[in-house]
Amino acid sequence: MMIGIAASPGIVIGKAYLFEKIELDCKPTKIDQKYVDYELDRLCHAKKKTKKQLEKLYEETKEKVGQQEAAIFDTHMMLMDDPILEHKIKGYITDHLYVAETATNYAMNDVKEMFEALDDAYLRERAVDVVDVCSRLIYNLAEVEIMNLQDLDEEVIVIANDLTPSDTASMNFEKVLGFATDMGGKTAHTAIMARTLELPAVVGLKVITHEVENGDMVILDGTEGTVIIHPSDEDIRNYQLKRQQLEEEKKALEELIHEEAITLDGKTIEIAANIGMPKDMDSVLRYGAQAIGLYRTEFLYMDQVACPTESEQFDAYKIVAEKMGAKPVVIRTLDIGGDKSVDYLKLPHEMNPFLGYRAIRMCLDREELFKTQLKAILRASHYGKIRIMYPMITHMEQVQQANTILEQAKAELIDQHIPFDKNIEVGIMIETPGAAMMADLLIKEVDFFSIGTNDLTQYTLAVDRGNEKINYLYSTFHPGVLRLIKKVIDASHKEGKWTGMCGEFAGNEKAAVLLLGLGLDELSMSAVSMMKVKDMIRRCTYSSAKEMAHKLLDMAYVNELEHHLDDYIDKHIKKEG
Ligand code: PEP
Ligand code: MG
């Protein structure tokens, strides 16, 4: 049995699909004149095959994910028919006598350079697509199977060294049962996405790609963080039973869907959901979230060829606002950078991307991009109860600058006679120790806080949230992090304002009683975690949770603190028979 990090709960049993991104060796190879027609013929066949694949990808993505996400494959199909590209490839075969693979590689570089030299930013960004589509063509010429997670014929468990958030977004969710990776951490975005999508996952297994072969039978237990390769019949029976028990527990908790998270002594805490992709709304509605506490808008920008326009964004935000009706939706402005990349934004390569040009830092530097998003959010605010939230705030000036751009966006909409909610609330994420320490000052500028524990923990403890080697040091139960959380909550309450939490810690049912005791007003999490958290809150009293939280803040060791919390849960939380 291999032990990793339990990234997303659930048990799946199935065949392994090793997802490896193979680098093709494109050494220049010459041919004899008599093979020119043969190479042209090969090119013609490979082009047909490429176009078929792209058509299929387009149709499937459009149906399962959405028209916007599918648009990339449409662009690729157009590039495949591009006469300049075709002329160049054929030229390298007929005039320079290269094999079709080399010819395509050379033509790709020529056309890529042509695109890169253009003045129009949109067309310049097409260079990435030229490389993408030509690589596909080269793979097809070489008859090497292109690995993608869309085009799967059977149900599989994906095994990979690492998966980027966009690899995960492009998965065929009907065929992928779950995934296991060598790298990663519980709060890296790939793991967060898996939880939101209810896709069982184990990350940080270090060497699973060396241990598993394509087609091997595996059991993946995302609840415990384990993987069994070549399980025995008895293992399979045991895990099938365990899966059934988990499903029954989940079903039993569904009776809480329409209940509030209210303690035995009458204190309520709002239970909200985090979303990224439109698909996430299914479980939000199914599990009856009281609000959306975090809408990660960056997923709208990923897997695209250019930034979504104001009206594309407006449509996406409006749908969510309308689906939630009178319930609040906190839309977080673009938080790209760190482990989330977007090719067309051409972000610089950085030594420390998590400490670099990301989120509000990039938005304040690219004002037009930011204003477009703010206008789209404002327009959608007419159709529901939207709140705006800025990510990664570290400096007071950033809040003021962001608010100035927001005022400009509002003024432009007023000029255009476009309605929006004039009283829209604006909040910030508290994700850095610097912001937490000056929460008493920051709160004067905003309506609310939401604590992002994923980043707050990594920055407070200097532990990369996605690095499996130091995962043992990454704990939000660290007293240093908890004290910062307490400081933030108290600062907001002193000004009569509220604090929520949208980091993954909010969905940890054990932490829920502690966070209640610390005075948090809202917990926002993957929809699937909401029932367990509600159940916990409904079984305790606020007075005892407060007392316990107070004691915990005086403890020095993470282990001691967690043991104390376990004891409290055992003693004070009424277990029903
Ligand atoms: C966080 O940092 O806790 C958070 C919610 O933001 P993200 O996970 O998207 O960085
Ligand atoms: Mg964050």
Side-chain angles (χ1 to χ4, degrees):
M1 175 186 293
M2 297 187 69
I3 301 175
I5 301 165
S8 177
I11 293 171
V12 280
I13 304 171
K15 272 193 197 164
Y17 178 79
L18 219 49
F19 179 62
E20 289 172 302
K21 296 175 188 166
I22 305 168
E23 296 288 323
L24 268 190
D25 174 15
C26 260
K27 270 205 267 30
T29 310
K30 288 267 192 178
I31 49 165
D32 195 277
Q33 178 72 45
K34 64 178 181 225
Y35 291 117
V36 164
D37 284 345
Y38 174 72
E39 287 303 309
L40 290 173
D41 209 35
R42 281 207 314 125
L43 176 69
C44 179
H45 275 100
K47 270 186 77 170
K48 276 192 195 143
K49 187 171 174 188
T50 305
K51 278 185 12 198
K52 252 201 185 131
Q53 287 169 347
L54 291 168
E55 262 164 35
K56 192 164 172 225
L57 282 169
Y58 175 80
E59 288 305 331
E60 284 178 358
T61 313
K62 190 168 99 177
E63 192 191 314
K64 289 179 200 139
V65 194
Q67 176 98 36
Q68 262 188 42
E69 288 78 1
I72 176 86
F73 301 116
D74 199 26
T75 309
H76 285 190
M77 280 190 272
M78 285 192 298
L79 279 171
M80 223 8 7
D81 283 331
D82 183 77
I84 301 178
L85 182 66
E86 164 135 357
H87 180 74
K88 285 209 169 272
I89 302 177
K90 286 188 173 165
Y92 276 112
I93 297 174
T94 50
D95 304 339
H96 301 277
L97 301 179
Y98 282 113
V99 290
E101 286 89 333
T102 309
T104 308
N105 197 22
Y106 283 168
M108 170 181 86
N109 288 330
D110 292 350
V111 177
K112 178 178 154 237
E113 277 169 23
M114 279 167 52
F115 273 101
E116 281 172 346
L118 295 172
D119 283 338
D120 182 305
Y122 175 82
L123 289 175
R124 242 188 350 258
E125 282 151 10
R126 298 291 65 75
V128 181
D129 301 310
V130 172
V131 174
D132 249 30
V133 82
C134 288
S135 307
R136 179 176 287 279
L137 182 57
I138 295 172
Y139 274 81
N140 283 331
L141 279 164
E143 294 185 19
V144 171
E145 204 189 326
I146 301 167
M147 295 221 111
N148 72 69
L149 297 171
Q150 253 301 310
D151 223 2
L152 298 164
D153 297 328
E154 53 177 348
E155 291 188 335
V156 293
I157 295 176
V158 173
I159 310 286
N161 177 254
D162 199 11
L163 291 170
T164 62
S166 63
D167 289 332
T168 314
S170 68
M171 279 179 184
N172 178 344
F173 299 115
E174 267 155 35
K175 296 283 194 265
V176 177
L177 300 172
F179 66 79
T181 58
D182 292 334
M183 296 171 65
K186 196 176 176 120
T187 63
H189 284 97
T190 294
I192 293 175
M193 284 175 77
R195 281 194 290 284
T196 314
L197 293 161
E198 297 185 57
L199 195 65
V202 181
V203 299
L205 285 149
K206 298 189 174 98
V207 290
I208 185 138
T209 49
H210 299 296
E211 304 290 326
V212 173
E213 305 223 335
N214 242 339
D216 278 355
M217 195 65 177
V218 293
I219 298 178
L220 180 145
D221 182 347
T223 309
E224 295 296 328
T226 56
V227 176
I228 301 179
I229 308 164
H230 300 306
S232 65
D233 289 348
E234 197 188 338
D235 287 333
I236 293 181
R237 270 195 306 279
N238 288 342
Y239 274 87
Q240 278 168 338
L241 209 69
K242 196 170 162 194
R243 180 167 60 189
Q244 201 180 327
Q245 280 163 359
L246 286 174
E247 271 160 19
E248 278 163 17
E249 275 170 30
K250 196 167 148 195
K251 195 117 210 86
L253 284 175
E254 283 179 10
E255 66 184 36
L256 296 179
I257 286 179
H258 302 295
E259 302 295 333
E260 282 194 307
I262 181 164
T263 62
L264 297 170
D265 52 354
K267 163 94 176 160
T268 54
I269 185 164
E270 188 171 70
I271 303 293
N274 293 349
I275 60 163
M277 299 197 282
K279 191 177 181 301
D280 302 339
M281 280 306 286
D282 299 349
S283 45
V284 168
L285 299 173
R286 188 164 73 245
Y287 297 123
Q290 292 173 309
I292 287 180
L294 169 65
Y295 181 172
R296 286 185 168 95
T297 56
E298 45 278 10
F299 291 101
L300 280 175
Y301 291 69
M302 285 156 64
D303 277 331
Q304 299 286 331
V305 289
C307 277
T309 61
E310 182 186 311
S311 67
E312 282 165 350
Q313 293 189 57
F314 163 65
D315 289 344
Y317 305 146
K318 179 171 170 253
I319 289 174
V320 175
E322 283 180 337
K323 282 191 175 164
M324 291 304 284
K327 296 174 184 167
V329 177
V330 178
I331 302 188
R332 179 175 76 180
T333 57
L334 183 59
D335 180 0
I336 218 73
D339 61 348
K340 291 172 286 195
S341 66
V342 168
D343 287 346
Y344 60 81
L345 286 177
K346 302 239 176 326
L347 301 184
H349 177 73
E350 297 179 304
M351 291 284 280
N352 293 302
F354 270 112
L355 301 180
Y357 186 66
R358 64 173 285 204
I360 198 73
R361 301 166 181 192
M362 188 199 73
C363 286
L364 294 177
D365 187 40
R366 300 190 184 188
E367 270 190 36
E368 277 312 308
L369 177 147
F370 189 41
K371 205 200 289 169
T372 302
Q373 180 174 40
L374 291 173
K375 282 175 77 175
I377 300 174
L378 285 170
R379 285 174 57 188
S381 70
H382 184 62
Y383 301 88
K385 191 167 190 285
I386 287 181
R387 294 173 175 148
I388 294 178
M389 179 158 74
Y390 306 135
M392 278 295 291
I393 293 292
T394 50
H395 290 64
M396 182 65 98
E397 297 87 321
Q398 292 168 332
V399 186
Q400 289 157 345
Q401 281 167 27
N403 277 340
T404 304
I405 300 169
L406 179 64
E407 288 311 313
Q408 289 166 7
K410 286 182 183 174
E412 287 178 21
L413 291 181
I414 290 172
D415 279 353
Q416 294 168 271
H417 305 289
I418 298 177
F420 64 91
D421 174 7
K422 306 262 173 358
N423 299 315
I424 193 162
E425 285 182 26
V426 177
I428 57 170
M429 292 200 63
I430 301 287
E431 300 174 275
T432 63
M437 290 303 289
M438 59 184 287
D440 56 328
L441 302 172
L442 287 167
I443 193 65
K444 294 193 170 42
E445 300 288 319
V446 295
D447 298 307
F448 66 92
F449 286 150
S450 185
I451 304 177
T453 47
N454 306 336
D455 278 319
L456 183 64
T457 307
Q458 85 164 340
Y459 295 130
T460 305
L461 305 179
V463 178
D464 180 345
R465 61 196 263 191
N467 185 338
E468 67 288 350
K469 291 194 195 68
I470 44 168
N471 180 62
Y472 70 100
L473 290 173
Y474 185 99
S475 171
T476 307
F477 285 112
H478 187 286
V481 185
L482 294 181
R483 286 175 184 212
L484 288 175
I485 291 174
K486 177 72 178 145
K487 209 173 173 63
V488 174
I489 298 169
D490 289 351
S492 69
H493 289 174
K494 213 162 160 203
E495 287 293 317
K497 297 181 181 171
W498 61 275
T499 294
M501 178 177 285
C502 58
E504 292 304 295
F505 201 56
N508 175 330
E509 71 257 27
K510 189 166 115 179
V513 279
L514 167 60
L515 295 171
L516 168 84
L518 291 176
L520 212 65
D521 303 288
E522 175 234 44
L523 293 169
S524 191
M525 62 199 81
S526 319
V528 68
S529 308
M530 295 194 307
M531 298 303 119
K532 278 192 176 171
V533 168
K534 250 191 211 178
D535 186 42
M536 206 66 156
I537 303 277
R538 291 172 61 86
R539 288 166 184 269
C540 72
T541 62
Y542 179 48
S543 57
S544 72
K546 227 167 30 180
E547 199 181 305
M548 171 270 298
H550 204 75
K551 269 195 209 139
L552 259 54
L553 286 181
D554 276 338
M555 292 183 181
Y557 300 96
V558 177
N559 281 349
E560 180 195 10
L561 204 144
E562 283 201 60
H563 276 140
H564 199 87
L565 185 55
D566 287 335
D567 273 357
Y568 167 84
I569 290 171
D570 282 347
K571 280 196 205 109
H572 290 264
I573 300 205
K574 203 177 86 209
K575 292 254 188 296
E576 276 168 9

